[in-house]
PDB file of all heavy atoms in Angstrom:
ATOM      1  N   ASN A 149      12.767  -3.324 -22.659  1.00 99.00           N
ATOM      2  CA  ASN A 149      11.833  -2.722 -23.610  1.00 99.00           C
ATOM      3  C   ASN A 149      12.264  -1.327 -24.000  1.00 99.00           C
ATOM      4  O   ASN A 149      12.465  -0.482 -23.108  1.00 99.00           O
ATOM      5  CB  ASN A 149      10.435  -2.593 -22.985  1.00 99.00           C
ATOM      6  CG  ASN A 149       9.894  -3.901 -22.458  1.00 99.00           C
ATOM      7  OD1 ASN A 149       9.396  -4.724 -23.255  1.00 99.00           O
ATOM      8  ND2 ASN A 149       9.948  -4.128 -21.176  1.00 99.00           N
ATOM      9  N   TYR A 164       3.694   5.281 -23.178  1.00 98.00           N
ATOM     10  CA  TYR A 164       4.042   4.260 -22.234  1.00 98.00           C
ATOM     11  C   TYR A 164       2.826   3.500 -21.714  1.00 98.00           C
ATOM     12  O   TYR A 164       2.784   2.302 -21.497  1.00 98.00           O
ATOM     13  CB  TYR A 164       4.789   4.866 -21.055  1.00 98.00           C
ATOM     14  CG  TYR A 164       5.095   3.876 -19.937  1.00 98.00           C
ATOM     15  CD1 TYR A 164       5.839   2.702 -20.167  1.00 98.00           C
ATOM     16  CD2 TYR A 164       4.649   4.067 -18.608  1.00 98.00           C
ATOM     17  CE1 TYR A 164       6.073   1.767 -19.182  1.00 98.00           C
ATOM     18  CE2 TYR A 164       4.912   3.171 -17.639  1.00 98.00           C
ATOM     19  CZ  TYR A 164       5.615   2.002 -17.882  1.00 98.00           C
ATOM     20  OH  TYR A 164       5.864   1.096 -16.909  1.00 98.00           O
ATOM     21  N   ASN A 168       1.809  -0.381 -21.949  1.00 98.00           N
ATOM     22  CA  ASN A 168       1.368  -1.209 -20.765  1.00 98.00           C
ATOM     23  C   ASN A 168       0.064  -1.945 -21.087  1.00 98.00           C
ATOM     24  O   ASN A 168      -0.076  -3.141 -20.700  1.00 98.00           O
ATOM     25  CB  ASN A 168       1.175  -0.316 -19.560  1.00 98.00           C
ATOM     26  CG  ASN A 168       2.479  -0.105 -18.824  1.00 98.00           C
ATOM     27  OD1 ASN A 168       3.282  -0.987 -18.711  1.00 98.00           O
ATOM     28  ND2 ASN A 168       2.648   1.070 -18.290  1.00 98.00           N
ATOM     29  N   ARG A 171       0.965  -4.752 -23.569  1.00 98.00           N
ATOM     30  CA  ARG A 171       1.820  -5.765 -22.948  1.00 98.00           C
ATOM     31  C   ARG A 171       0.985  -6.649 -22.076  1.00 98.00           C
ATOM     32  O   ARG A 171       1.019  -7.852 -22.100  1.00 98.00           O
ATOM     33  CB  ARG A 171       2.930  -5.128 -22.134  1.00 98.00           C
ATOM     34  CG  ARG A 171       3.735  -6.127 -21.324  1.00 98.00           C
ATOM     35  CD  ARG A 171       4.954  -5.539 -20.683  1.00 98.00           C
ATOM     36  NE  ARG A 171       4.712  -4.396 -19.826  1.00 98.00           N
ATOM     37  CZ  ARG A 171       5.656  -3.761 -19.125  1.00 98.00           C
ATOM     38  NH1 ARG A 171       6.905  -4.110 -19.252  1.00 98.00           N
ATOM     39  NH2 ARG A 171       5.360  -2.713 -18.379  1.00 98.00           N
ATOM     40  N   ALA A 189      12.268  -6.288 -15.440  1.00 99.00           N
ATOM     41  CA  ALA A 189      12.240  -5.564 -16.684  1.00 99.00           C
ATOM     42  C   ALA A 189      12.791  -4.144 -16.601  1.00 99.00           C
ATOM     43  O   ALA A 189      13.010  -3.609 -15.510  1.00 99.00           O
ATOM     44  CB  ALA A 189      10.774  -5.517 -17.228  1.00 99.00           C
ATOM     45  N   SER A 190      12.996  -3.559 -17.768  1.00 98.00           N
ATOM     46  CA  SER A 190      13.238  -2.133 -17.925  1.00 98.00           C
ATOM     47  C   SER A 190      12.376  -1.673 -19.070  1.00 98.00           C
ATOM     48  O   SER A 190      12.187  -2.453 -20.021  1.00 98.00           O
ATOM     49  CB  SER A 190      14.693  -1.840 -18.234  1.00 98.00           C
ATOM     50  OG  SER A 190      15.579  -2.305 -17.214  1.00 98.00           O
ATOM     51  N   ALA A 191      11.869  -0.446 -19.016  1.00 98.00           N
ATOM     52  CA  ALA A 191      11.134   0.138 -20.138  1.00 98.00           C
ATOM     53  C   ALA A 191      11.570   1.565 -20.247  1.00 98.00           C
ATOM     54  O   ALA A 191      11.342   2.364 -19.364  1.00 98.00           O
ATOM     55  CB  ALA A 191       9.622   0.042 -19.938  1.00 98.00           C
ATOM     56  N   TYR A 225       0.235  -1.051  -8.859  1.00 98.00           N
ATOM     57  CA  TYR A 225       0.185   0.392  -8.882  1.00 98.00           C
ATOM     58  C   TYR A 225      -1.292   0.811  -8.967  1.00 98.00           C
ATOM     59  O   TYR A 225      -2.103   0.190  -9.679  1.00 98.00           O
ATOM     60  CB  TYR A 225       0.851   0.967 -10.122  1.00 98.00           C
ATOM     61  CG  TYR A 225       2.376   1.138 -10.044  1.00 98.00           C
ATOM     62  CD1 TYR A 225       3.115   1.400 -11.170  1.00 98.00           C
ATOM     63  CD2 TYR A 225       3.079   1.076  -8.826  1.00 98.00           C
ATOM     64  CE1 TYR A 225       4.494   1.575 -11.135  1.00 98.00           C
ATOM     65  CE2 TYR A 225       4.445   1.230  -8.790  1.00 98.00           C
ATOM     66  CZ  TYR A 225       5.171   1.464  -9.928  1.00 98.00           C
ATOM     67  OH  TYR A 225       6.497   1.637  -9.917  1.00 98.00           O
ATOM     68  N   PRO A 234       1.835  -1.906 -15.213  1.00 98.00           N
ATOM     69  CA  PRO A 234       3.052  -2.459 -15.804  1.00 98.00           C
ATOM     70  C   PRO A 234       3.317  -3.861 -15.223  1.00 98.00           C
ATOM     71  O   PRO A 234       3.242  -4.031 -13.991  1.00 98.00           O
ATOM     72  CB  PRO A 234       4.152  -1.499 -15.355  1.00 98.00           C
ATOM     73  CG  PRO A 234       3.522  -0.446 -14.493  1.00 98.00           C
ATOM     74  CD  PRO A 234       2.097  -0.817 -14.289  1.00 98.00           C
ATOM     75  N   PHE A 236       5.806  -6.248 -14.319  1.00 98.00           N
ATOM     76  CA  PHE A 236       7.214  -6.627 -14.045  1.00 98.00           C
ATOM     77  C   PHE A 236       7.420  -6.783 -12.584  1.00 98.00           C
ATOM     78  O   PHE A 236       6.750  -6.212 -11.746  1.00 98.00           O
ATOM     79  CB  PHE A 236       8.187  -5.621 -14.680  1.00 98.00           C
ATOM     80  CG  PHE A 236       8.249  -4.276 -14.052  1.00 98.00           C
ATOM     81  CD1 PHE A 236       9.178  -3.983 -13.065  1.00 98.00           C
ATOM     82  CD2 PHE A 236       7.370  -3.264 -14.399  1.00 98.00           C
ATOM     83  CE1 PHE A 236       9.291  -2.721 -12.440  1.00 98.00           C
ATOM     84  CE2 PHE A 236       7.433  -1.982 -13.830  1.00 98.00           C
ATOM     85  CZ  PHE A 236       8.339  -1.712 -12.821  1.00 98.00           C
ATOM     86  N   ARG A 238      10.362  -6.492  -9.372  1.00 98.00           N
ATOM     87  CA  ARG A 238      11.463  -5.601  -9.071  1.00 98.00           C
ATOM     88  C   ARG A 238      12.809  -6.266  -9.339  1.00 98.00           C
ATOM     89  O   ARG A 238      13.833  -5.567  -9.582  1.00 98.00           O
ATOM     90  CB  ARG A 238      11.390  -5.115  -7.629  1.00 98.00           C
ATOM     91  CG  ARG A 238      10.138  -4.268  -7.345  1.00 98.00           C
ATOM     92  CD  ARG A 238      10.064  -3.011  -8.154  1.00 98.00           C
ATOM     93  NE  ARG A 238       8.859  -2.258  -7.864  1.00 98.00           N
ATOM     94  CZ  ARG A 238       8.526  -1.130  -8.528  1.00 98.00           C
ATOM     95  NH1 ARG A 238       9.306  -0.673  -9.508  1.00 98.00           N
ATOM     96  NH2 ARG A 238       7.443  -0.494  -8.220  1.00 98.00           N
ATOM     97  N   SER A 253      15.526  -4.915 -11.896  1.00 99.00           N
ATOM     98  CA  SER A 253      14.764  -4.152 -12.890  1.00 99.00           C
ATOM     99  C   SER A 253      15.169  -2.689 -12.876  1.00 99.00           C
ATOM    100  O   SER A 253      15.798  -2.216 -11.923  1.00 99.00           O
ATOM    101  CB  SER A 253      13.264  -4.228 -12.510  1.00 99.00           C
ATOM    102  OG  SER A 253      12.795  -5.510 -12.790  1.00 99.00           O
ATOM    103  N   GLY A 254      14.793  -1.946 -13.896  1.00 99.00           N
ATOM    104  CA  GLY A 254      14.968  -0.496 -13.858  1.00 99.00           C
ATOM    105  C   GLY A 254      14.371   0.009 -12.590  1.00 99.00           C
ATOM    106  O   GLY A 254      13.191  -0.288 -12.235  1.00 99.00           O
ATOM    107  N   ILE A 258      11.138   6.101  -6.709  1.00 98.00           N
ATOM    108  CA  ILE A 258       9.735   5.837  -6.354  1.00 98.00           C
ATOM    109  C   ILE A 258       9.681   5.154  -5.038  1.00 98.00           C
ATOM    110  O   ILE A 258      10.358   4.173  -4.777  1.00 98.00           O
ATOM    111  CB  ILE A 258       9.068   4.973  -7.452  1.00 98.00           C
ATOM    112  CG1 ILE A 258       9.039   5.678  -8.800  1.00 98.00           C
ATOM    113  CG2 ILE A 258       7.671   4.535  -6.984  1.00 98.00           C
ATOM    114  CD1 ILE A 258       8.533   4.849  -9.956  1.00 98.00           C
ATOM    115  N   CYS A 338       9.919   6.343 -17.961  1.00 94.00           N
ATOM    116  CA  CYS A 338       8.485   6.226 -18.241  1.00 94.00           C
ATOM    117  C   CYS A 338       7.562   7.082 -17.400  1.00 94.00           C
ATOM    118  O   CYS A 338       6.371   7.052 -17.595  1.00 94.00           O
ATOM    119  CB  CYS A 338       8.094   4.784 -18.229  1.00 94.00           C
ATOM    120  SG  CYS A 338       8.456   3.995 -16.675  1.00 94.00           S
ATOM    121  N   GLU A 345      17.078   6.578 -13.984  1.00 98.00           N
ATOM    122  CA  GLU A 345      16.651   5.224 -13.695  1.00 98.00           C
ATOM    123  C   GLU A 345      17.893   4.327 -13.819  1.00 98.00           C
ATOM    124  O   GLU A 345      18.713   4.508 -14.670  1.00 98.00           O
ATOM    125  CB  GLU A 345      15.559   4.787 -14.653  1.00 98.00           C
ATOM    126  CG  GLU A 345      15.056   3.400 -14.365  1.00 98.00           C
ATOM    127  CD  GLU A 345      13.820   3.009 -15.219  1.00 98.00           C
ATOM    128  OE1 GLU A 345      12.819   3.782 -15.197  1.00 98.00           O
ATOM    129  OE2 GLU A 345      13.855   1.950 -15.843  1.00 98.00           O
TER     130      GLU A 345
HETATM  131  C1  LIG B 427       8.898   2.142 -12.062  1.00 97.87           C
HETATM  132  O1  LIG B 427       9.498   1.688 -11.045  1.00 97.87           O
HETATM  133  C2  LIG B 427       9.828   2.843 -13.062  1.00 97.87           C
HETATM  134  O2  LIG B 427       7.244  -0.959 -17.473  1.00 97.87           O
HETATM  135  O3  LIG B 427       8.637  -2.649 -17.658  1.00 97.87           O
HETATM  136  C3  LIG B 427      10.896   0.364 -14.381  1.00 97.87           C
HETATM  137  C4  LIG B 427      11.156  -0.930 -14.836  1.00 97.87           C
HETATM  138  C5  LIG B 427       9.803   1.073 -14.865  1.00 97.87           C
HETATM  139  C6  LIG B 427      10.317  -1.532 -15.749  1.00 97.87           C
HETATM  140  C7  LIG B 427       8.313  -1.528 -17.211  1.00 97.87           C
HETATM  141  C8  LIG B 427       8.969   0.401 -15.793  1.00 97.87           C
HETATM  142  C9  LIG B 427       9.187  -0.856 -16.221  1.00 97.87           C
HETATM  143  O4  LIG B 427       7.720   2.076 -12.264  1.00 97.87           O
HETATM  144  C10 LIG B 427       9.528   2.436 -14.436  1.00 97.87           C
END
Side-chain angles (χ1 to χ4, degrees):
N149 304 282
Y164 174 58
N168 274 324
R171 171 172 58 178
S190 300
Y225 278 167
F236 69 95
R238 298 298 180 184
S253 291
I258 295 174
C338 58
E345 181 172 309

